[in-house]
Amino acid sequence: MRILQNNEDETMKQHHFLRALKVLLFVTVAGALLGFVIMQLWNWLMPAVFGLRVITFWQALGLFVLGKLLLSGFHRHHGGRFRWGRRMQERWDQMSTEEREKFRAGIRGRRGCGFVSSDEPIPAESAPGK
């Protein structure tokens, strides 16, 4: 029994090592490809359009990392909206009827937010052209 357990442990270690190696290889290839594509696009467009200098592969890779950090960070983008909607639905379900009406009254004058139906009349103070 102990021999089988040791054998399984070794197999799991090898599996984790191979998986880490695959991830490292994928990240390396993806980074090289992204750097090359960004470098080629920059060197094709920017000097001709804006008169900027030609960049190297490492500068292109640095631009990618900088842009990623500044614009989106390195987080995953799946499921965030659905979790937000589910959380809002839970909060709405926990509200009493009075709390719901108070919430609706608070946003009734806001057009374009998606909470007010288009068949409701626009209040006079927020009518267009006024």
Side-chain angles (χ1 to χ4, degrees), residues 3 15-16 18 20 32 58-59 73 76 86 96 105 108 126:
I3 295 171
H15 174 72
H16 289 302
L18 289 175
W58 296 109
Q59 289 170 328
R76 296 179 185 212
R86 189 171 43 239
S96 66
R108 189 153 279 135
S126 64

Side-chain angles (χ1 to χ4, degrees), residues 105-126:
I107 62 167
R108 189 153 279 135
R110 298 181 187 182
R111 288 288 172 180
C113 66
F115 292 116
V116 181
S117 65
S118 59
D119 58 341
E120 292 183 26
I122 299 174
E125 62 271 359
S126 64

Side-chain angles (χ1 to χ4, degrees), residues 8-107:
E8 288 176 6
D9 290 342
E10 288 298 318
T11 305
M12 289 300 290
K13 286 179 186 178
Q14 289 174 351
H15 174 72
H16 289 302
F17 176 74
L18 289 175
R19 188 170 185 186
L21 193 61
K22 286 179 186 178
V23 169
L24 182 64
L25 181 66
F26 176 78
V27 168
T28 303
V29 170
L33 187 64
L34 277 170
F36 181 75
V37 168
I38 292 168
M39 181 185 74
Q40 292 299 319
L41 284 172
W42 179 283
N43 292 340
W44 176 51
L45 291 172
M46 295 304 192
V49 176
F50 298 111
L52 298 174
R53 293 183 190 181
V54 173
I55 64 172
T56 66
F57 170 80
W58 296 109
Q59 289 170 328
L61 206 54
L63 278 174
F64 170 71
V65 171
L66 180 64
K68 190 78 170 137
L69 285 171
L70 292 177
L71 298 176
S72 66
F74 285 105
H75 55 83
R76 296 179 185 212
H77 297 283
H78 60 81
R81 292 181 187 181
F82 300 117
R83 283 193 301 258
W84 179 83
R86 189 171 43 239
R87 196 168 52 239
M88 289 302 292
Q89 183 65 43
E90 289 170 0
R91 289 178 67 185
W92 182 260
D93 291 341
Q94 292 174 358
M95 286 184 185
S96 66
T97 307
E98 295 83 22
E99 290 172 327
R100 289 180 186 175
E101 284 304 316
K102 185 177 177 183
F103 179 77
R104 286 186 185 121
I107 62 167

